[in-house]
Amino acid sequence: MKKIEIAPSILSADFRILEREVKAAQDAGADRIHCDVMDGRFVPNISFGPLVVEAVKKCVSIPLDVHIMISDPVKYAADFCSAGADVLCFHAEALNNVNEIKTLLNDIRSKGARPGVAVNPDKSIDLFMSELASIDQVVIMSVYAGFGGQKFIVDTMEKVRAVRSAAVKQNLDIDIEVDGGVNGETAELCAKAGANVLVAGSFVFGSGDYAGRINAVRESANKAYIGD
Ligand code: DX5
Ligand code: ZN
């Protein structure tokens, strides 16, 4: 059974002291650092690009979980692999068809990162389910991509259940990550549905007690985790 992993998102960190922030998250027990890349086109917000990912990579030893919310992931995926992404997830709905998705997954893997696919709450997992065997991580967005601090959309857990059940049927070792609005209460719903990686941005970095918040997410998830 996969263990629950907690991935604090630096979107809610204090960028004046980013090195201290990511090191503190690592010391507080984070399993990964989640990097939210936004281009102002795919989502109505701009965050940061490969330079910041590269800088964060130099600060921590835990894996970087890079989530690219950009309209042209094909063009920029290689830059994020070079910057040190361990897992690189792009949005299925940013591409035109399943062949493009498949090609990009293979491309990311060939550049040394574990490839993943994300979907917004209003988009179907059918965009990529035929390619599950080539996907290392599915990211089910539990808020609309673009901003931290939004409210968790419970209905999205249906997609987590569907992906987990397909993965079990096909005997695939897939990480299912839930991203958005995860806290000490909603983590339980994610784990119950079959997720094993939980992103928590504002809940962790918006607090004065990173270890306390990471533990709260982990404990809530472990209460309900069904495994794979
Ligand atoms: C939303 C991002 C999330 C977000 C999580 O576009 O992908 O990773 O920052 O932040 P919280 O945990 O505050 O919802
Ligand atoms: Zn994210």
Side-chain angles (χ1 to χ4, degrees):
M1 182 159 134
K2 284 175 173 300
K3 77 173 180 72
I4 291 283
E5 293 190 44
I6 315 296
S9 165
I10 59 170
L11 201 57
S12 299
D14 183 343
F15 274 69
R16 292 172 301 179
I17 49 161
L18 190 55
E19 175 175 11
R20 238 192 283 162
E21 290 279 70
V22 292
K23 283 183 169 155
Q26 175 172 267
D27 292 345
D31 300 287
R32 308 175 174 190
I33 298 292
H34 186 81
C35 300
D36 283 310
V37 174
M38 303 178 183
D39 66 352
R41 291 179 51 147
F42 183 74
V43 288
N45 195 7
I46 299 177
S47 59
F48 54 81
L51 271 181
V52 170
V53 173
E54 199 178 342
V56 171
K57 184 72 183 175
K58 291 177 184 151
C59 301
V60 291
S61 56
I62 52 177
L64 298 194
D65 182 51
V66 180
H67 174 200
I68 50 175
M69 289 159 273
I70 64 178
S71 41
D72 197 349
V74 172
K75 186 168 177 186
Y76 296 105
D79 292 343
F80 289 99
C81 294
S82 311
D86 294 278
V87 183
L88 182 61
C89 301
F90 60 90
H91 273 259
E93 65 269 38
L95 297 183
N96 295 309
N97 54 56
V98 75
N99 281 331
E100 287 187 10
I101 291 175
K102 194 175 176 172
T103 304
L104 185 52
L105 288 165
N106 291 335
D107 194 41
I108 291 170
R109 193 183 301 285
S110 75
K111 297 205 162 50
R114 297 174 59 218
V117 170
V119 265
N120 260 312
D122 61 346
K123 295 289 184 280
S124 169
I125 57 171
D126 293 342
L127 293 171
F128 59 80
M129 284 302 273
S130 63
E131 304 312 311
L132 210 52
S134 314
I135 298 174
D136 283 20
Q137 174 163 295
V138 171
V139 183
I140 300 298
M141 295 302 300
S142 41
V143 300
Y144 282 88
F147 299 91
Q150 303 179 74
K151 191 173 178 294
F152 186 86
I153 303 170
V154 178
D155 289 356
T156 57
M157 294 304 100
E158 199 50 56
K159 290 196 261 186
V160 174
R161 275 188 283 279
V163 175
R164 182 55 77 201
S165 119
V168 169
K169 270 197 202 113
Q170 295 174 49
N171 201 17
L172 299 171
D173 176 30
I174 288 179
D175 283 335
I176 303 180
E177 177 176 86
V178 174
D179 187 4
V182 173
N183 57 36
E185 281 157 23
T186 55
E188 187 175 348
L189 304 176
C190 303
K192 200 169 183 178
N196 66 298
V197 185
L198 307 180
V199 175
S202 47
F203 189 65
V204 173
F205 284 113
S207 79
D209 177 11
Y210 298 175
R213 291 292 173 95
I214 289 170
N215 286 338
V217 172
R218 202 186 301 283
E219 273 165 28
S220 164
N222 278 334
K223 254 197 282 182
Y225 187 42
I226 57 166
D228 55 1

